[in-house]
Amino acid sequence: RQGTQSTKGRSDVSGTTRKAAPQKGRGAARVGSLRAPQRRGGGIAFGPKPRDHSSELPRKVQEMGLRIALSTKFAQDQLVIVDEVSLDSHKTREFEQIQQRHGWDSVLVVANKENEKLWRATRNLQQVDVSIMQEADVLRLLKHQVVVMDRQSVRYLEKKLKA
């Protein structure tokens, strides 16, 4: 749901703020604002206001999803574990050569710490995403064909996901 629906309450409706009729002396019921909800042209009582309908998944469910995604990638030989994720230069050409050599179409690289050269080398490639180990999530893992991780990231995720 978008959560963009909105109505005007009695304070939002434009119009005068004067009292509609005198409090006493007419022999009729008391009348206050002309913008009250029961009047024509008045505001809406308890109408919808813009709000966020999103809800968070429980942490254990998120971890279970990550566990399943990683085991699926491993079972399909789409999980590549290397000693260290590093490049000699920040050139895109260097990473593209590695990608072509292994025949990878879409790659997620999970590194143990932020690597400026790796990030610069891959930022111009559409099918390549670089993430640090703390930001690994199910959507990123499943979106890419191959996941490349270094050993420290694997140890971190094993420790985090240990049941």
Side-chain angles (χ1 to χ4, degrees):
R1 294 165 65 180
Q2 281 185 325
T4 55
Q5 70 277 30
S6 186
T7 55
K8 291 186 178 183
R10 64 186 294 163
S11 62
D12 304 322
V13 177
S14 65
T16 184
T17 56
R18 88 177 158 83
K19 194 165 171 58
Q23 180 77 356
K24 299 175 83 60
R26 324 185 298 144
R30 300 177 288 193
V31 182
S33 170
L34 290 169
R35 301 294 168 236
Q38 70 269 25
R39 294 194 155 275
R40 181 180 172 281
I44 304 295
F46 307 114
K49 289 288 180 191
R51 65 190 178 117
D52 185 11
H53 291 280
S54 65
S55 61
E56 290 290 319
L57 265 180
R59 180 186 53 84
K60 288 184 176 183
V61 174
Q62 286 180 359
E63 288 176 358
M64 181 181 64
L66 195 57
R67 211 177 286 124
I68 290 169
L70 283 169
S71 61
T72 303
K73 287 289 180 191
F74 180 76
Q76 295 174 349
D77 288 331
Q78 295 177 344
L79 183 67
V80 178
I81 299 171
V82 295
D83 290 328
E84 187 180 3
V85 179
S86 63
L87 293 175
D88 297 331
S89 73
H90 63 277
K91 296 289 185 182
T92 303
R93 185 183 316 114
E94 187 178 331
F95 190 85
E96 265 186 325
Q97 289 171 351
I98 294 170
Q99 194 178 355
Q100 288 172 357
R101 189 179 328 129
H102 293 288
W104 298 334
D105 291 330
S106 131
V107 184
L108 171 66
V109 181
V110 180
N112 64 335
K113 60 183 183 286
E114 289 197 22
N115 187 336
E116 184 70 22
K117 286 182 181 177
L118 181 66
W119 180 76
R120 283 179 184 260
T122 58
R123 70 180 171 181
N124 201 28
L125 298 172
Q126 279 188 321
Q127 296 292 326
V128 179
D129 199 6
V130 177
S131 171
I132 58 173
M133 58 189 175
Q134 289 88 355
E135 294 176 356
D137 63 336
V138 178
L139 183 66
R140 281 187 183 175
L141 285 171
L142 297 179
K143 191 174 109 178
H144 296 283
Q145 175 195 358
V146 177
V147 178
V148 178
M149 301 175 83
D150 61 358
R151 291 203 186 282
Q152 282 187 310
S153 299
V154 172
R155 280 193 215 102
Y156 171 80
L157 288 171
E158 279 178 349
K159 188 176 174 185
K160 179 183 173 185
L161 300 175
K162 193 162 70 172

